[in-house]
PDB file of all heavy atoms in Angstrom:
ATOM      1  N   TYR B 143      15.563 -32.879  -6.639  1.00  0.00           N
ATOM      2  CA  TYR B 143      15.374 -33.825  -7.747  1.00  0.00           C
ATOM      3  C   TYR B 143      15.591 -35.256  -7.276  1.00  0.00           C
ATOM      4  O   TYR B 143      16.365 -35.495  -6.344  1.00  0.00           O
ATOM      5  CB  TYR B 143      16.400 -33.583  -8.856  1.00  0.00           C
ATOM      6  CG  TYR B 143      16.310 -32.261  -9.548  1.00  0.00           C
ATOM      7  CD1 TYR B 143      17.159 -31.215  -9.183  1.00  0.00           C
ATOM      8  CD2 TYR B 143      15.396 -32.053 -10.581  1.00  0.00           C
ATOM      9  CE1 TYR B 143      17.098 -29.994  -9.826  1.00  0.00           C
ATOM     10  CE2 TYR B 143      15.336 -30.828 -11.230  1.00  0.00           C
ATOM     11  CZ  TYR B 143      16.183 -29.816 -10.843  1.00  0.00           C
ATOM     12  OH  TYR B 143      16.117 -28.606 -11.485  1.00  0.00           O
ATOM     13  N   ASP B 144      14.975 -36.191  -7.998  1.00  0.00           N
ATOM     14  CA  ASP B 144      15.411 -37.587  -7.994  1.00  0.00           C
ATOM     15  C   ASP B 144      16.529 -37.610  -9.039  1.00  0.00           C
ATOM     16  O   ASP B 144      16.274 -37.479 -10.243  1.00  0.00           O
ATOM     17  CB  ASP B 144      14.255 -38.508  -8.401  1.00  0.00           C
ATOM     18  CG  ASP B 144      14.688 -39.967  -8.493  1.00  0.00           C
ATOM     19  OD1 ASP B 144      15.854 -40.224  -8.841  1.00  0.00           O
ATOM     20  OD2 ASP B 144      13.849 -40.849  -8.250  1.00  0.00           O
ATOM     21  N   THR B 145      17.770 -37.748  -8.563  1.00  0.00           N
ATOM     22  CA  THR B 145      18.913 -37.531  -9.462  1.00  0.00           C
ATOM     23  C   THR B 145      19.018 -38.601 -10.564  1.00  0.00           C
ATOM     24  O   THR B 145      19.451 -38.290 -11.680  1.00  0.00           O
ATOM     25  CB  THR B 145      20.231 -37.495  -8.660  1.00  0.00           C
ATOM     26  OG1 THR B 145      20.341 -38.697  -7.893  1.00  0.00           O
ATOM     27  CG2 THR B 145      20.272 -36.289  -7.746  1.00  0.00           C
ATOM     28  N   ILE B 146      18.622 -39.839 -10.234  1.00  0.00           N
ATOM     29  CA  ILE B 146      18.665 -40.882 -11.267  1.00  0.00           C
ATOM     30  C   ILE B 146      17.621 -40.567 -12.346  1.00  0.00           C
ATOM     31  O   ILE B 146      17.905 -40.665 -13.546  1.00  0.00           O
ATOM     32  CB  ILE B 146      18.365 -42.281 -10.660  1.00  0.00           C
ATOM     33  CG1 ILE B 146      19.288 -42.567  -9.465  1.00  0.00           C
ATOM     34  CG2 ILE B 146      18.469 -43.371 -11.726  1.00  0.00           C
ATOM     35  CD1 ILE B 146      20.690 -42.899  -9.780  1.00  0.00           C
ATOM     36  N   ALA B 147      16.428 -40.157 -11.898  1.00  0.00           N
ATOM     37  CA  ALA B 147      15.373 -39.796 -12.852  1.00  0.00           C
ATOM     38  C   ALA B 147      15.803 -38.597 -13.689  1.00  0.00           C
ATOM     39  O   ALA B 147      15.525 -38.536 -14.888  1.00  0.00           O
ATOM     40  CB  ALA B 147      14.078 -39.489 -12.094  1.00  0.00           C
ATOM     41  N   TRP B 148      16.498 -37.646 -13.066  1.00  0.00           N
ATOM     42  CA  TRP B 148      16.980 -36.460 -13.789  1.00  0.00           C
ATOM     43  C   TRP B 148      17.876 -36.880 -14.963  1.00  0.00           C
ATOM     44  O   TRP B 148      17.735 -36.386 -16.079  1.00  0.00           O
ATOM     45  CB  TRP B 148      17.759 -35.550 -12.835  1.00  0.00           C
ATOM     46  CG  TRP B 148      18.045 -34.179 -13.384  1.00  0.00           C
ATOM     47  CD1 TRP B 148      17.354 -33.036 -13.169  1.00  0.00           C
ATOM     48  CD2 TRP B 148      19.139 -33.825 -14.269  1.00  0.00           C
ATOM     49  NE1 TRP B 148      17.925 -31.986 -13.849  1.00  0.00           N
ATOM     50  CE2 TRP B 148      19.022 -32.445 -14.538  1.00  0.00           C
ATOM     51  CE3 TRP B 148      20.183 -34.536 -14.854  1.00  0.00           C
ATOM     52  CZ2 TRP B 148      19.909 -31.772 -15.358  1.00  0.00           C
ATOM     53  CZ3 TRP B 148      21.065 -33.858 -15.691  1.00  0.00           C
ATOM     54  CH2 TRP B 148      20.926 -32.495 -15.928  1.00  0.00           C
ATOM     55  N   LEU B 149      18.801 -37.837 -14.668  1.00  0.00           N
ATOM     56  CA  LEU B 149      19.714 -38.287 -15.726  1.00  0.00           C
ATOM     57  C   LEU B 149      18.957 -38.992 -16.844  1.00  0.00           C
ATOM     58  O   LEU B 149      19.417 -39.036 -17.982  1.00  0.00           O
ATOM     59  CB  LEU B 149      20.784 -39.217 -15.149  1.00  0.00           C
ATOM     60  CG  LEU B 149      21.864 -38.556 -14.287  1.00  0.00           C
ATOM     61  CD1 LEU B 149      22.786 -39.601 -13.678  1.00  0.00           C
ATOM     62  CD2 LEU B 149      22.688 -37.561 -15.097  1.00  0.00           C
ATOM     63  N   ARG B 150      17.797 -39.553 -16.501  1.00  0.00           N
ATOM     64  CA  ARG B 150      16.987 -40.249 -17.517  1.00  0.00           C
ATOM     65  C   ARG B 150      16.034 -39.295 -18.225  1.00  0.00           C
ATOM     66  O   ARG B 150      15.174 -39.745 -18.988  1.00  0.00           O
ATOM     67  CB  ARG B 150      16.226 -41.401 -16.869  1.00  0.00           C
ATOM     68  CG  ARG B 150      17.162 -42.532 -16.456  1.00  0.00           C
ATOM     69  CD  ARG B 150      16.457 -43.615 -15.686  1.00  0.00           C
ATOM     70  NE  ARG B 150      17.385 -44.692 -15.356  1.00  0.00           N
ATOM     71  CZ  ARG B 150      17.244 -45.509 -14.319  1.00  0.00           C
ATOM     72  NH1 ARG B 150      16.207 -45.375 -13.508  1.00  0.00           N
ATOM     73  NH2 ARG B 150      18.125 -46.452 -14.088  1.00  0.00           N
ATOM     74  N   GLY B 151      16.145 -38.013 -17.928  1.00  0.00           N
ATOM     75  CA  GLY B 151      15.383 -37.029 -18.687  1.00  0.00           C
ATOM     76  C   GLY B 151      14.235 -36.359 -17.954  1.00  0.00           C
ATOM     77  O   GLY B 151      13.596 -35.467 -18.508  1.00  0.00           O
ATOM     78  N   HIS B 152      13.964 -36.768 -16.710  1.00  0.00           N
ATOM     79  CA  HIS B 152      12.875 -36.138 -15.948  1.00  0.00           C
ATOM     80  C   HIS B 152      13.445 -34.930 -15.197  1.00  0.00           C
ATOM     81  O   HIS B 152      13.895 -35.049 -14.061  1.00  0.00           O
ATOM     82  CB  HIS B 152      12.251 -37.146 -14.987  1.00  0.00           C
ATOM     83  CG  HIS B 152      11.772 -38.380 -15.671  1.00  0.00           C
ATOM     84  ND1 HIS B 152      10.637 -38.391 -16.461  1.00  0.00           N
ATOM     85  CD2 HIS B 152      12.291 -39.636 -15.726  1.00  0.00           C
ATOM     86  CE1 HIS B 152      10.475 -39.616 -16.957  1.00  0.00           C
ATOM     87  NE2 HIS B 152      11.473 -40.375 -16.539  1.00  0.00           N
ATOM     88  N   ARG B 153      13.438 -33.795 -15.835  1.00  0.00           N
ATOM     89  CA  ARG B 153      14.177 -32.634 -15.343  1.00  0.00           C
ATOM     90  C   ARG B 153      13.354 -31.690 -14.469  1.00  0.00           C
ATOM     91  O   ARG B 153      13.862 -30.673 -14.014  1.00  0.00           O
ATOM     92  CB  ARG B 153      14.735 -31.839 -16.541  1.00  0.00           C
ATOM     93  CG  ARG B 153      15.619 -32.674 -17.483  1.00  0.00           C
ATOM     94  CD  ARG B 153      16.988 -32.871 -16.858  1.00  0.00           C
ATOM     95  NE  ARG B 153      17.758 -33.964 -17.442  1.00  0.00           N
ATOM     96  CZ  ARG B 153      18.591 -33.866 -18.461  1.00  0.00           C
ATOM     97  NH1 ARG B 153      18.737 -32.712 -19.067  1.00  0.00           N
ATOM     98  NH2 ARG B 153      19.262 -34.910 -18.882  1.00  0.00           N
ATOM     99  N   ARG B 154      12.096 -32.008 -14.241  1.00  0.00           N
ATOM    100  CA  ARG B 154      11.260 -31.111 -13.433  1.00  0.00           C
ATOM    101  C   ARG B 154      11.555 -31.343 -11.945  1.00  0.00           C
ATOM    102  O   ARG B 154      11.484 -32.481 -11.475  1.00  0.00           O
ATOM    103  CB  ARG B 154       9.779 -31.363 -13.717  1.00  0.00           C
ATOM    104  CG  ARG B 154       8.844 -30.357 -13.055  1.00  0.00           C
ATOM    105  CD  ARG B 154       7.401 -30.704 -13.386  1.00  0.00           C
ATOM    106  NE  ARG B 154       7.108 -30.442 -14.796  1.00  0.00           N
ATOM    107  CZ  ARG B 154       6.728 -29.258 -15.247  1.00  0.00           C
ATOM    108  NH1 ARG B 154       6.584 -28.247 -14.430  1.00  0.00           N
ATOM    109  NH2 ARG B 154       6.473 -29.096 -16.531  1.00  0.00           N
ATOM    110  N   PRO B 155      11.891 -30.287 -11.186  1.00  0.00           N
ATOM    111  CA  PRO B 155      12.173 -30.492  -9.760  1.00  0.00           C
ATOM    112  C   PRO B 155      10.930 -30.918  -8.990  1.00  0.00           C
ATOM    113  O   PRO B 155       9.822 -30.466  -9.304  1.00  0.00           O
ATOM    114  CB  PRO B 155      12.673 -29.117  -9.291  1.00  0.00           C
ATOM    115  CG  PRO B 155      12.200 -28.143 -10.309  1.00  0.00           C
ATOM    116  CD  PRO B 155      12.058 -28.886 -11.603  1.00  0.00           C
ATOM    117  N   SER B 156      11.116 -31.791  -8.013  1.00  0.00           N
ATOM    118  CA  SER B 156       9.977 -32.222  -7.194  1.00  0.00           C
ATOM    119  C   SER B 156       9.622 -31.159  -6.164  1.00  0.00           C
ATOM    120  O   SER B 156       8.515 -31.155  -5.627  1.00  0.00           O
ATOM    121  CB  SER B 156      10.306 -33.537  -6.496  1.00  0.00           C
ATOM    122  OG  SER B 156      11.488 -33.405  -5.739  1.00  0.00           O
ATOM    123  N   HIS B 157      10.555 -30.272  -5.876  1.00  0.00           N
ATOM    124  CA  HIS B 157      10.301 -29.204  -4.909  1.00  0.00           C
ATOM    125  C   HIS B 157      11.247 -28.041  -5.206  1.00  0.00           C
ATOM    126  O   HIS B 157      12.407 -28.255  -5.549  1.00  0.00           O
ATOM    127  CB  HIS B 157      10.544 -29.732  -3.487  1.00  0.00           C
ATOM    128  CG  HIS B 157      10.244 -28.724  -2.429  1.00  0.00           C
ATOM    129  ND1 HIS B 157       8.955 -28.357  -2.087  1.00  0.00           N
ATOM    130  CD2 HIS B 157      11.066 -27.994  -1.628  1.00  0.00           C
ATOM    131  CE1 HIS B 157       9.005 -27.452  -1.118  1.00  0.00           C
ATOM    132  NE2 HIS B 157      10.272 -27.219  -0.830  1.00  0.00           N
ATOM    133  N   VAL B 158      10.727 -26.818  -5.067  1.00  0.00           N
ATOM    134  CA  VAL B 158      11.560 -25.625  -5.252  1.00  0.00           C
ATOM    135  C   VAL B 158      11.288 -24.664  -4.097  1.00  0.00           C
ATOM    136  O   VAL B 158      10.132 -24.439  -3.726  1.00  0.00           O
ATOM    137  CB  VAL B 158      11.240 -24.903  -6.586  1.00  0.00           C
ATOM    138  CG1 VAL B 158      12.042 -23.593  -6.682  1.00  0.00           C
ATOM    139  CG2 VAL B 158      11.545 -25.791  -7.773  1.00  0.00           C
ATOM    140  N   ARG B 159      12.357 -24.150  -3.522  1.00  0.00           N
ATOM    141  CA  ARG B 159      12.192 -23.107  -2.512  1.00  0.00           C
ATOM    142  C   ARG B 159      12.998 -21.884  -2.942  1.00  0.00           C
ATOM    143  O   ARG B 159      14.207 -21.975  -3.157  1.00  0.00           O
ATOM    144  CB  ARG B 159      12.673 -23.599  -1.148  1.00  0.00           C
ATOM    145  CG  ARG B 159      12.588 -22.502  -0.103  1.00  0.00           C
ATOM    146  CD  ARG B 159      12.687 -23.012   1.295  1.00  0.00           C
ATOM    147  NE  ARG B 159      12.537 -21.891   2.219  1.00  0.00           N
ATOM    148  CZ  ARG B 159      12.611 -21.992   3.522  1.00  0.00           C
ATOM    149  NH1 ARG B 159      12.800 -23.163   4.072  1.00  0.00           N
ATOM    150  NH2 ARG B 159      12.475 -20.942   4.300  1.00  0.00           N
ATOM    151  N   ALA B 160      12.309 -20.759  -3.071  1.00  0.00           N
ATOM    152  CA  ALA B 160      12.973 -19.516  -3.493  1.00  0.00           C
ATOM    153  C   ALA B 160      13.497 -18.775  -2.275  1.00  0.00           C
ATOM    154  O   ALA B 160      12.808 -18.673  -1.257  1.00  0.00           O
ATOM    155  CB  ALA B 160      11.992 -18.662  -4.262  1.00  0.00           C
ATOM    156  N   TRP B 161      14.725 -18.269  -2.377  1.00  0.00           N
ATOM    157  CA  TRP B 161      15.346 -17.534  -1.268  1.00  0.00           C
ATOM    158  C   TRP B 161      15.482 -16.048  -1.583  1.00  0.00           C
ATOM    159  O   TRP B 161      15.451 -15.219  -0.671  1.00  0.00           O
ATOM    160  CB  TRP B 161      16.730 -18.110  -0.961  1.00  0.00           C
ATOM    161  CG  TRP B 161      16.708 -19.537  -0.528  1.00  0.00           C
ATOM    162  CD1 TRP B 161      16.933 -20.628  -1.310  1.00  0.00           C
ATOM    163  CD2 TRP B 161      16.420 -20.044   0.775  1.00  0.00           C
ATOM    164  NE1 TRP B 161      16.810 -21.781  -0.578  1.00  0.00           N
ATOM    165  CE2 TRP B 161      16.500 -21.451   0.720  1.00  0.00           C
ATOM    166  CE3 TRP B 161      16.102 -19.447   1.997  1.00  0.00           C
ATOM    167  CZ2 TRP B 161      16.279 -22.269   1.833  1.00  0.00           C
ATOM    168  CZ3 TRP B 161      15.887 -20.263   3.105  1.00  0.00           C
ATOM    169  CH2 TRP B 161      15.965 -21.650   3.018  1.00  0.00           C
ATOM    170  N   ALA B 162      15.678 -15.750  -2.846  1.00  0.00           N
ATOM    171  CA  ALA B 162      15.817 -14.337  -3.227  1.00  0.00           C
ATOM    172  C   ALA B 162      15.508 -14.199  -4.715  1.00  0.00           C
ATOM    173  O   ALA B 162      15.690 -15.150  -5.488  1.00  0.00           O
ATOM    174  CB  ALA B 162      17.230 -13.840  -2.928  1.00  0.00           C
ATOM    175  N   ASP B 163      15.052 -13.027  -5.093  1.00  0.00           N
ATOM    176  CA  ASP B 163      14.660 -12.738  -6.482  1.00  0.00           C
ATOM    177  C   ASP B 163      15.023 -11.276  -6.735  1.00  0.00           C
ATOM    178  O   ASP B 163      14.679 -10.416  -5.925  1.00  0.00           O
ATOM    179  CB  ASP B 163      13.138 -12.972  -6.600  1.00  0.00           C
ATOM    180  CG  ASP B 163      12.656 -12.830  -8.034  1.00  0.00           C
ATOM    181  OD1 ASP B 163      13.159 -11.944  -8.740  1.00  0.00           O
ATOM    182  OD2 ASP B 163      11.775 -13.613  -8.421  1.00  0.00           O
ATOM    183  N   CYS B 164      15.756 -11.012  -7.812  1.00  0.00           N
ATOM    184  CA  CYS B 164      16.134  -9.609  -8.056  1.00  0.00           C
ATOM    185  C   CYS B 164      16.197  -9.334  -9.555  1.00  0.00           C
ATOM    186  O   CYS B 164      16.321 -10.258 -10.365  1.00  0.00           O
ATOM    187  CB  CYS B 164      17.474  -9.298  -7.391  1.00  0.00           C
ATOM    188  SG  CYS B 164      18.808 -10.400  -7.869  1.00  0.00           S
ATOM    189  N   ARG B 165      16.108  -8.061  -9.900  1.00  0.00           N
ATOM    190  CA  ARG B 165      16.130  -7.641 -11.308  1.00  0.00           C
ATOM    191  C   ARG B 165      17.568  -7.430 -11.774  1.00  0.00           C
ATOM    192  O   ARG B 165      18.420  -7.037 -10.985  1.00  0.00           O
ATOM    193  CB  ARG B 165      15.370  -6.323 -11.490  1.00  0.00           C
ATOM    194  CG  ARG B 165      13.885  -6.444 -11.303  1.00  0.00           C
ATOM    195  CD  ARG B 165      13.142  -5.322 -12.036  1.00  0.00           C
ATOM    196  NE  ARG B 165      11.823  -5.779 -12.453  1.00  0.00           N
ATOM    197  CZ  ARG B 165      11.589  -6.417 -13.596  1.00  0.00           C
ATOM    198  NH1 ARG B 165      12.563  -6.651 -14.440  1.00  0.00           N
ATOM    199  NH2 ARG B 165      10.378  -6.798 -13.906  1.00  0.00           N
ATOM    200  N   VAL B 166      17.811  -7.714 -13.049  1.00  0.00           N
ATOM    201  CA  VAL B 166      19.127  -7.427 -13.635  1.00  0.00           C
ATOM    202  C   VAL B 166      19.150  -5.947 -13.995  1.00  0.00           C
ATOM    203  O   VAL B 166      18.287  -5.488 -14.753  1.00  0.00           O
ATOM    204  CB  VAL B 166      19.373  -8.290 -14.896  1.00  0.00           C
ATOM    205  CG1 VAL B 166      20.669  -7.875 -15.584  1.00  0.00           C
ATOM    206  CG2 VAL B 166      19.397  -9.761 -14.524  1.00  0.00           C
ATOM    207  N   PRO B 167      20.086  -5.178 -13.444  1.00  0.00           N
ATOM    208  CA  PRO B 167      20.116  -3.732 -13.723  1.00  0.00           C
ATOM    209  C   PRO B 167      20.474  -3.452 -15.183  1.00  0.00           C
ATOM    210  O   PRO B 167      21.304  -4.146 -15.757  1.00  0.00           O
ATOM    211  CB  PRO B 167      21.185  -3.202 -12.772  1.00  0.00           C
ATOM    212  CG  PRO B 167      22.031  -4.369 -12.437  1.00  0.00           C
ATOM    213  CD  PRO B 167      21.168  -5.585 -12.548  1.00  0.00           C
TER     214      PRO B 167
END
Side-chain angles (χ1 to χ4, degrees):
Chain B
Y143 296 99
D144 177 328
T145 55
I146 307 286
W148 192 97
L149 288 175
R150 290 174 178 154
H152 305 287
R153 304 283 162 90
R154 187 181 290 274
S156 56
H157 183 73
V158 175
R159 177 164 182 182
W161 298 97
D163 186 322
C164 55
R165 291 204 150 274
V166 174

